[in-house]
């Protein structure tokens, strides 16, 4: 049905006392608005994708970023996840280190970096735990003034304990962290 036929039909409907078919007009503004919104959603999605570096890392590219050759086989996929290059490139890289007498140091650096990221995780989880543990509890039904007082007392005692425990753990971890960082800095590689 074209536009003219629609008009004719609408007129006929009105003449017959019927309600003419209502049409929804999509204005250009609406379309533009819709397009704008879609673009925003798309941009947001792309931004999120950019942020999720972890996911990005899990994805293995088709080509090795080092030698630009196609990455074939499970070994290369595994190697890429560990070292961001294909198996051949990693073998070459490690051989070069051996020749230059830097291999041991490089291995040690790997170990130290792993330790460092483990310590950082631990520190973060203790900090989170401390924040969670000292959050005030809501008292829903207080039986009497005495009860509330008791609860408050008990709680402030816990908070103190939580802070001390967290402080001790964090001090210990930060000390180890410093030591690891020092070792890392002392490596020439
Ligand atoms: Zn390669």
């Amino acid at each position: 049905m074209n536009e003219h036929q629609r008009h004719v039909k609408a007129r006929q409907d009105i003449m017959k006392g019927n309600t003419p078919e209502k049409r929804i007009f999509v204005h250009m503004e609406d379309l533009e608005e819709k397009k704008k919104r879609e673009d925003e959603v798309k941009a947001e999605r792309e931004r999120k994708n950019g942020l999720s570096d972890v996911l990005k890392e899990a994805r293995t590219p088709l080509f090795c970023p080092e030698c630009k050759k196609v990455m074939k086989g499970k070994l290369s996929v595994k190697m890429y996840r560990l070292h961001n290059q294909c198996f051949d490139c990693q073998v070459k890289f490690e051989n070069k280190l051996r020749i230059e007498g830097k291999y041991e140091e490089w291995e040690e650096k790997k170990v130290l970096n792993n330790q460092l990221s483990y310590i950082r995780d631990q520190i973060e989880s203790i900090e989170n735990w401390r924040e969670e543990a000292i959050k005030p509890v809501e008292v829903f039904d207080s039986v009497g003034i005495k009860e509330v007082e008791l609860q408050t007392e008990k709680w402030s005692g816990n908070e103190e304990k939580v802070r001390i425990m967290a402080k001790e753990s964090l001090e210990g971890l930060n000390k180890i962290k410093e030591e690891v960082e020092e070792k890392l800095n002392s490596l020439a590689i």
Side-chain angles (χ1 to χ4, degrees), residues 63-71 76 84-90 92:
F63 299 99
C64 166
E66 194 59 32
C67 65
K68 317 285 180 219
K69 284 182 195 152
V70 179
M71 291 210 284
S76 274
N84 289 316
Q85 55 188 358
C86 74
F87 182 74
D88 288 346
C89 284
Q90 188 59 27
K92 269 184 215 157

Side-chain angles (χ1 to χ4, degrees), residues 126-142:
I126 287 170
E127 283 170 348
N128 288 340
W129 168 77
R130 183 186 56 195
E131 297 317 308
E132 284 300 312
I134 61 175
K135 262 185 196 165
V137 275
E138 253 180 274
V139 185
F140 288 104
D141 35 333
S142 50

Side-chain angles (χ1 to χ4, degrees), residues 39-52:
D39 285 347
E40 278 170 11
V41 170
K42 204 176 151 217
E44 173 70 7
R45 203 187 305 134
E46 273 166 8
R47 194 184 64 84
K48 274 187 186 156
N49 283 347
L51 286 176
S52 55

Side-chain angles (χ1 to χ4, degrees), residues 126-127 129-131 133-134 155-174:
I126 287 170
E127 283 170 348
W129 168 77
R130 183 186 56 195
E131 297 317 308
I134 61 175
W155 189 243
S156 58
N158 273 353
E159 185 179 334
E160 186 63 22
K161 209 175 161 191
V162 166
R163 286 196 189 279
I164 290 168
M165 278 165 75
K167 191 172 171 268
E168 279 171 3
S169 303
L170 288 173
E171 274 171 5
L173 282 167
N174 277 318

